Amino acid sequence: MVKLTINSGDVKLATETFGDHSNPAVLLSMGAMASMLWWPDEFCERIAASGRYVIRYDNRDTGLSTAYPTGEPGYAFADMAEDAIAILDGYGIETAHLVGMSLGGMIAQWVTLGHPDRVKTLTLISSSPLGIDGLPPFTEAYGEHAATAEAVDWSNRASVLDFMTRDARMVASTLHPHDAGAARRLVEQDLVT
């Protein structure tokens, strides 16, 4: 794994790569409130082992990338799409396969619409097409959980850890067992960054 910080204007974007730079690139963009660590190392390594050059990164306001005052982001989807292009430019990559999860899928769509010549393929996970409400609505239980985010003391690590661990459980697959310990360790690791 190689770590590199890419500049997008005055924004610093933390990135990590897996695999050989000469292979076709895959750019992984994660969803809201989640750093690049939510693309697990093993997942990235398996993609790289299949002959791809994998780049994962922290969006603004996540992980080690530039953070803004709470409630005052000062940027839009279009800026986040330009961040993805800055990452490709920073690695000297002309085109890439884009994979976006949730908010990351929205960003990947903005990149594709604004820079179609830079995109080989687009894969969306838990993300609706722009302009279309394509996913089913949240369950009532998740809506109730999400509403508790307003009461989280985001300056208190324990409070954030508890909320994010519950969130990981709420969005986990119902077809596979949920590993609560692994989810909590991932959230703990994410909070260290």
Side-chain angles (χ1 to χ4, degrees):
M1 173 190 335
V2 176
K3 298 179 181 194
L4 181 65
T5 299
I6 302 288
N7 295 323
S8 178
D10 61 349
V11 175
K12 301 211 177 298
L13 301 164
T15 70
E16 295 178 350
T17 64
F18 300 79
D20 184 338
H21 186 275
S22 65
N23 287 335
V26 177
L27 182 65
L28 302 174
S29 182
M30 185 42 76
M33 298 189 332
S35 76
M36 68 179 137
L37 299 178
W38 289 82
W39 298 109
D41 289 355
E42 181 183 357
F43 175 75
C44 296
E45 290 163 355
R46 289 181 73 179
I47 296 172
S50 74
R52 301 289 187 262
Y53 182 58
V54 178
I55 305 167
R56 67 182 182 182
Y57 69 100
D58 287 333
N59 286 311
R60 299 174 188 221
D61 278 324
T62 65
L64 299 173
S65 289
T66 297
Y68 295 81
T70 302
E72 301 175 28
Y75 57 88
F77 279 124
D79 299 311
M80 296 177 87
E82 291 308 313
D83 292 345
I85 294 298
I87 290 168
L88 295 179
D89 290 345
Y91 281 99
I93 295 170
E94 288 299 316
T95 61
H97 300 279
L98 302 186
V99 180
M101 168 78 80
S102 192
L103 173 70
M106 302 299 284
I107 294 166
Q109 290 177 75
W110 274 86
V111 173
T112 302
L113 291 170
H115 303 276
D117 56 318
R118 304 294 300 270
V119 179
K120 288 184 179 182
T121 62
L122 173 64
T123 302
L124 305 176
I125 305 166
S126 298
S127 188
S128 295
L130 288 175
I132 299 173
D133 189 15
L135 291 177
F138 293 135
T139 64
E140 184 177 333
Y142 186 79
E144 290 171 4
H145 159 72
T148 68
E150 293 179 19
V152 173
D153 178 356
W154 294 96
S155 65
N156 179 293
R157 187 179 185 282
S159 177
V160 174
L161 176 61
D162 289 342
F163 175 79
M164 294 300 293
T165 301
R166 284 192 316 275
D167 194 68
R169 174 63 191 117
M170 294 296 295
V171 299
S173 169
T174 57
L175 296 177
H176 305 284
H178 174 67
D179 186 338
R184 187 170 184 88
R185 287 188 299 277
L186 176 59
V187 173
E188 288 174 332
Q189 181 185 9
D190 201 7
L191 292 175
V192 171
T193 60

